[in-house]
Amino acid sequence: MTARIIDGKTFAEGLRGRIAGHVQRLKIDHGLTPGLAVVIVGHDPGSEIYVNQKARQTVEVGMHSEKYELPEDTSEAEVLALVQRLNDDPAVHGILVQLPLPGQIDASKVIATISSDKDVDCFTPASVGKLQIGLPGPVSCTPLGCLMLLRDTLGDMTGLHAVVIGRSNLVGKPMAQLLLRENCTVTMAHSRTRDLPAIVRQADIVIAAVGRPQMVKGDWIKPGATVIDVGINRIPAPERGEGKTRLLGDVDFAEAAAVAGAITPVPGGVGPMTIVCLLANTITTASLINGLVPPGDLTP
Ligand code: GUN
């Protein structure tokens, strides 16, 4: 193995410490306690774990945390009314409605109701527009985490060729925007791209966000390239015991690590960064709502 392992877990811990420092300063200098409200409807086990982690980490960095756990049969009108109430609540600077929502609720309607000033997921059309044209505001959490790891690994990325595999609204598209801002040459590849391995072989930076376990092979990687694996694929692992699973990325780690210059592992790479970036976005929105300049280390 030649690649340096990009340790997202350690980086995320350090970032959490810096965020706690920003929270203290906002409290002392401005009497402002950033607040994050998370909303979950129903009992999807994966979502419950995520929401609990989000609420716990919010408290750990000294922020105000509100958690709304609504029953599976909650009506769309009730969720919209809650979001509206949170929009109007001055103690809340970030609103996160955990997806997926039960079938009776139109997620796009709920997202459109979240005030873009409090949209810490960067899901609303207004937030996406701000990100696109470079106005201050929240940034999609996973791409923001990837960007922070890339800056820490590479420093200036001017002129590098970044290939983003995957064109989702959640990761691929905002990631490409952020890399453009870093002066990268950006190629967006996806399931219909012809000769994907040849395209990826041109990349100085590879962002794999396709959701297919170990799709990116070692011989797709240019020697010395930086590889960021966004994939979180849960695979049955009977060798670990009955019903057990393990996580695999979108990159064949063993193969790629023999060629790349630096690479994120799964788990322990991009994953730990995402929740911390949610906290970073809450500092950003709390600052902007109160007419303050957001801390420069938490936003692009
Ligand atoms: N469900 C899975 N990932 C996410 C996320 O990043 N934000 C929200 N709101 N729901 C999710």
Side-chain angles (χ1 to χ4, degrees), residues 42-193:
H43 295 285
D44 178 77
S47 291
E48 280 181 334
I49 292 170
Y50 275 128
V51 162
N52 288 334
Q53 281 179 348
K54 287 166 183 173
R56 182 172 48 76
Q57 291 196 21
T58 305
V59 172
E60 276 171 11
V61 297
M63 291 186 193
H64 169 64
S65 169
E66 297 182 11
K67 186 163 75 170
Y68 296 88
E69 295 169 292
L70 307 180
E72 184 79 31
D73 62 355
T74 304
S75 71
E76 184 179 279
E78 286 171 283
V79 178
L80 294 178
L82 172 60
V83 169
Q84 199 56 60
R85 185 152 64 75
L86 296 170
N87 281 343
D88 296 336
D89 184 343
V92 171
H93 307 96
I95 302 169
L96 179 140
V97 180
Q98 186 70 23
L99 303 180
L101 290 167
Q104 75 276 14
I105 302 170
D106 180 348
S108 61
K109 242 190 211 173
V110 173
I111 289 167
T113 305
I114 298 171
S115 161
S116 78
D117 293 338
K118 299 189 177 185
D119 174 23
V120 281
D121 268 323
C122 196
F123 280 179
T124 68
S127 309
V128 173
K130 284 185 202 165
L131 176 64
Q132 170 109 4
I133 61 177
L135 292 177
V139 176
S140 321
C141 296
T142 299
L144 180 57
C146 295
L147 179 71
M148 288 183 181
L149 293 178
L150 280 170
R151 281 196 182 148
D152 187 60
T153 304
L154 292 170
D156 185 9
M157 287 174 257
T158 298
L160 297 183
H161 186 183
V163 174
V164 180
I165 317 172
R167 54 178 157 179
S168 69
N169 290 331
L170 211 61
V171 181
K173 287 180 194 167
M175 189 74 244
Q177 287 301 331
L178 294 177
L179 290 164
L180 271 179
R181 278 207 222 172
E182 298 295 306
N183 303 312
C184 289
T185 301
V186 180
T187 298
M188 292 207 67
H190 46 78
S191 55
R192 304 289 182 90
T193 295

